[in-house]
């Protein structure tokens, strides 16, 4: 398929700017989140409808002590915190009348999270190294409510009742609570699952349940848990959320809003864990707040954006001839796959997607290659000089596995152009210093391969305009289903063992290597 135009797009980001406190008044916003302002001391708060539309900048601060950490909202105001200096700010819901209500140096340091008890008229502040502070909603009567020597790294704060405030210590898997109305507020503790590096905490009084985010660092898969105070049990809600920090409950208790650092604001449906990226924000930090209830379109992963152009090679393993548990019929009948060669180790089968891992429904079928040591799966197609190779991929890996790989090549006769390499356990895609994503989470890989004599121009799949690709280079984009987001892993990669420039390509080759019986490479919708 000669395709120089990759047209898959996501919701774009509004680049509007506003000066401090001068945003046009709007009667109500549904969703608020914080973003890094581009340089130290600069921070931005954006607001939108609950579906991410009508995005507007409501606050831009150029004299913040540090980045914004958390946001809370009442009927009349929004509140937010400045990380290192201990500032707490308040503004009207449209961002006007913004100002500090707690000054830097007045007590709190390294502020992480805030929670509001409107009934009692109290604001609670979790300071990472200091403890839990409380004040009136205008910032007056600031006091240090709790500072126990046996608790380190206070993080996440939620009001369970006017006489009980919840918080975490990020160094332990312990959920603490204390009574802010008591002269001796002593913190009680409950053991929970996966509570280390916990930053977001929300409480639902209707179900007596707490929800919390667990940060795994970087782009690694992270988790959202719920803790049921009725049964004293923790339950994993989702394990594939990237960089979850701030967490807020929707007003009707049906959804969670999660601030994903470097990604944006995601919505999670509590009933089934369904996820959707609501507002993309490449500089999103910790803060998120909402006054509305999201409606998610899909309970798991959406299908990839539509393909444009002529697909000259497609193997989706979803034909009537393919029987689950057996090799693909197209391979046995000499269809798109020309050969499957290599040592006898390992199996290749078509599997029914009963768990809807790829997001196309339980009737979908995919290709599974298990324990395949140096096996080659090759397919022939009419050649072209510019090729877009797309496929869905899940790498299911045992923690004890060695450094095994999946290579993808384009070939001209017997000459190889090695364009993509996925290596486990590091799970990197060439070049090796760029992480590809996470295990057990489907990704769509799009590699644009330019073997012509001219630089080509193509549409970026993330909606960011056009990009150029020089001759003899490849560009790799990855669509992360867990976040509904494209990322470019490398802009120009000069492939090794290159085929002759300008000559047509006649073969696509997948090379599998693993000696672990628990390892499989799952592929679906291979398109060229």
């Amino acid at each position: 398929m000669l395709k120089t135009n990759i047209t898959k797009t996501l919701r774009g980001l509004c680049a509007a700017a506003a000066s401090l406190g001068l945003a046009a008044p709007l009667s109500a916003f549904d969703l608020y989140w914080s973003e890094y302002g581009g340089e130290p001391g600069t921070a931005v708060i954006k607001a939108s409808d609950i579906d991410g539309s009508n995005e507007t900048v409501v606050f831009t601060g150029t004299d913040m002590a540090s980045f914004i950490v958390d946001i809370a909202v009442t009927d009349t105001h929004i509140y937010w915190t400045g990380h290192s200096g201990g500032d707490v700010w308040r503004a009207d819901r449209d961002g006007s009348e913004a100002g500090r209500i707690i000054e830097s140096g007045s007590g709190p340091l390294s502020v992480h999270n805030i929670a509001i008890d409107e009934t009692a008229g109290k604001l609670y502040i979790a300071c990472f190294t200091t403890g839990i502070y409380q004040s009136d909603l205008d910032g007056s009567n600031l006091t240090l409510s709790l500072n126990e020597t046996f608790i380190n790294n206070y993080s996440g704060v939620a009001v369970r009742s006017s006489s009980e405030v919840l918080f975490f210590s990020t160094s332990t898997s312990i959920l603490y609570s204390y009574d802010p109305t008591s002269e001796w507020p002593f913190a009680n503790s409950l053991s929970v699952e996966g509570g280390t590096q916990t930053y977001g905490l929300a409480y639902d009084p209707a179900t007596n349940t707490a929800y919390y985010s667990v940060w795994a660092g970087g782009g690694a898969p992270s988790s959202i848990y719920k803790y049921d105070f009725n049964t004293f049990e923790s339950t994993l809600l989702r394990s594939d959320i990237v960089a979850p920090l701030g967490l807020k409950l929707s007003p009707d208790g049906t959804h969670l809003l999660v601030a994903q650092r470097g990604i944006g604001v995601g919505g999670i449906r509590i009933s089934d864990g369904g996820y959707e990226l609501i507002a993309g924000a490449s500089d999103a930090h910790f803060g998120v707040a909402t006054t509305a209830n999201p409606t998610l379109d899909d309970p798991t992963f959406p299908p990839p954006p539509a393909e444009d152009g002529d697909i000259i090679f497609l193997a989706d393993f979803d034909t009537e001839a393919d029987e689950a548990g057996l090799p693909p019929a197209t391979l046995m009948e000499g269809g798109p796959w020309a050969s499957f060669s290599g040592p006898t180790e390992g199996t290749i089968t078509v599997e029914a997607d009963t768990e809807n891992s790829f997001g196309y429904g339980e009737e979908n079928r995919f290709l599974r290659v298990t324990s395949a040591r140096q096996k080659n799966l090759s397919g022939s197609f009419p050649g072209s000089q510019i090729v877009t190779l797309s496929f869905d991929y899940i790498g299911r890996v045992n923690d004890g596995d060695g450094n095994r790989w999946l290579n993808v090549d384009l070939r001209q006769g017997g000459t190889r152009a090695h364009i993509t390499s996925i290596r486990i356990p590091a799970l990197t895609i060439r070049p090796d210093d760029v992480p590809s994503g996470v295990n057990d989470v489907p990704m769509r890989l799009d590699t644009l391969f330019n073997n012509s004599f001219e630089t080509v121009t193509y549409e970026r799949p993330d909606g960011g305009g056009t990009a150029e690709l020089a001759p003899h280079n490849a560009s790799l984009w990855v669509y992360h289903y867990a976040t509904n987001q494209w990322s470019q892993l490398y802009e120009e990669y000069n492939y090794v063992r290159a085929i002759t420039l300008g000559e047509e390509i006649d073969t696509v080759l997948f090379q599998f290597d693993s000696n672990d019986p628990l390892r499989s490479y799952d592929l679906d919708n291979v398109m060229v």
Side-chain angles (χ1 to χ4, degrees):
M1 175 179 60
L2 177 60
K3 189 172 91 171
T4 59
N5 186 9
I6 304 175
T7 59
K8 295 181 283 288
T9 60
L10 295 176
R11 180 185 295 127
L13 300 181
C14 174
S19 58
L20 175 61
L22 297 180
L26 297 176
S27 58
F29 290 104
D30 296 328
L31 183 65
Y32 296 86
W33 68 92
S34 65
E35 296 189 26
Y36 178 54
E39 59 185 35
T42 302
V44 175
I45 293 177
K46 290 185 177 180
S48 73
D49 296 343
I50 192 59
D51 61 358
S53 61
N54 297 319
E55 183 177 307
T56 306
V57 174
V58 297
F59 174 82
T60 299
T62 57
D63 58 349
M64 302 290 292
S66 184
F67 55 82
I68 293 173
V69 178
D70 201 10
I71 301 174
V73 61
T74 67
D75 288 340
T76 57
H77 293 93
I78 53 174
Y79 295 76
W80 64 93
T81 61
H83 177 259
S84 61
D87 289 342
V88 178
W89 291 65
R90 186 175 73 170
D92 292 345
R93 285 277 299 276
D94 62 4
S96 62
E97 303 299 325
R100 294 178 179 88
I101 60 172
I102 296 177
E103 295 283 344
S104 175
S106 60
L109 292 173
S110 190
V111 174
H112 263 59
N113 299 91
I114 54 176
I116 291 173
D117 183 351
E118 290 194 75
T119 301
K122 294 295 181 181
L123 174 68
Y124 297 98
I125 310 164
C127 299
F128 196 67
T129 57
T130 314
I132 306 293
Y133 285 79
Q134 67 171 317
S135 74
D136 295 339
L137 293 183
D138 60 1
S140 61
N141 297 316
L142 178 69
T143 59
L144 179 60
S145 295
L146 185 72
N147 182 15
E148 298 289 349
T149 57
F150 62 87
I151 300 174
N152 295 316
N153 303 337
Y154 294 78
S155 181
V157 62
V159 176
R160 191 180 181 198
S161 70
S162 293
S163 60
E164 187 175 13
V165 174
L166 306 174
F167 66 95
F168 267 96
S169 165
T170 59
S171 60
T172 63
S173 297
I174 296 177
L175 175 62
Y176 293 97
S177 68
Y178 79 102
D179 181 357
T181 65
S182 172
E183 183 179 357
W184 306 99
F186 184 75
N188 298 310
S189 62
L190 296 165
S191 295
V192 299
E193 295 291 333
T196 57
Q197 294 300 308
T198 302
Y199 293 101
L201 178 61
Y203 176 74
D204 183 4
T207 60
N208 199 20
T209 303
Y211 299 89
Y212 53 97
S213 62
V214 179
W215 168 270
S222 300
S223 303
I224 305 292
Y225 286 88
K226 62 180 180 180
Y227 181 83
D228 189 334
F229 282 92
N230 300 306
T231 62
F232 306 105
E233 293 181 348
S234 302
T235 304
L236 180 66
L237 187 60
R238 281 196 76 116
S239 61
D240 55 7
I241 300 297
V242 177
L245 290 169
L247 200 64
K248 292 294 192 307
L249 188 72
S250 67
D252 67 355
T254 59
H255 296 76
L256 291 170
L257 281 297
V258 54
Q260 296 176 256
R261 190 169 187 179
I263 294 174
V265 177
I268 300 174
R269 187 164 41 238
I270 292 172
S271 61
D272 58 15
Y275 170 90
E276 183 177 305
L277 182 69
I278 294 176
S282 59
D283 290 324
H285 271 59
F286 291 67
V288 61
T290 184
T291 61
N293 309 307
T295 300
L296 306 188
D297 295 330
D298 194 287
T300 51
F301 303 106
E307 290 282 339
D308 278 4
D310 298 325
I311 298 173
I312 63 174
F313 177 97
L314 170 63
D316 65 358
F317 317 108
D318 205 16
T319 66
E320 293 182 0
D322 287 326
E323 185 175 346
L326 297 178
T330 51
L331 174 65
M332 295 185 293
E333 297 171 358
W337 297 118
S339 65
F340 183 56
S341 60
T344 57
E345 301 173 54
T347 60
I348 174 172
T349 55
V350 174
E351 299 294 336
D353 194 3
T354 57
E355 297 181 356
N356 195 24
S357 298
F358 283 99
Y360 302 113
E362 296 179 1
E363 300 301 318
N364 177 60
R365 294 177 181 177
F366 62 92
L367 187 73
R368 171 164 290 173
V369 182
T370 305
S371 303
R373 192 71 193 276
Q374 298 179 8
K375 281 190 177 294
N376 298 330
L377 177 63
S378 63
S380 298
F381 61 93
S384 61
Q385 297 175 356
I386 304 169
V387 176
T388 298
L389 173 66
S390 300
F391 60 95
D392 289 331
Y393 165 81
I394 302 177
R396 304 186 188 278
V397 57
N398 176 28
D399 290 339
D401 194 15
N403 190 21
R404 303 307 175 191
W405 39 256
L406 163 63
N407 289 332
V408 184
D409 300 341
L410 295 178
R411 294 206 171 196
Q412 175 197 94
T415 307
R416 172 188 182 192
H418 181 60
I419 60 171
T420 301
S421 180
I422 304 173
R423 303 203 304 187
I424 308 291
L427 191 56
T428 59
I429 295 182
R430 290 182 182 272
D432 292 340
D433 59 346
V434 183
S436 68
V438 297
N439 294 332
D440 295 338
V441 175
M443 299 178 290
R444 160 60 62 92
L445 281 80
D446 267 20
T447 301
L448 183 66
F449 179 89
N450 181 13
N451 200 49
S452 72
F453 290 101
E454 304 293 335
T455 296
V456 297
T457 301
Y458 66 96
E459 293 289 332
R460 292 166 51 105
D462 63 350
T466 60
E468 292 186 342
L469 183 62
H472 242 160
N473 279 271
S475 175
L476 179 64
W477 290 81
V478 171
Y479 181 74
H480 297 273
Y481 286 80
T483 61
N484 295 2
Q485 189 173 37
W486 283 99
S487 61
Q488 188 175 32
L489 294 193
Y490 52 89
E491 183 175 356
E492 289 190 340
Y493 172 57
N494 191 264
Y495 49 86
V496 297
R497 285 178 277 184
I499 60 181
T500 304
L501 182 66
E503 292 295 324
E504 286 196 336
I505 303 157
D506 56 28
T507 305
V508 58
L509 177 69
F510 287 79
Q511 296 182 311
F512 306 93
D513 184 276
S514 175
N515 61 357
D516 185 340
L518 300 180
R519 155 73 59 73
S520 70
Y521 301 95
D522 295 347
L523 304 178
D524 203 4
N525 290 308
V526 181
M527 288 172 277
V528 179

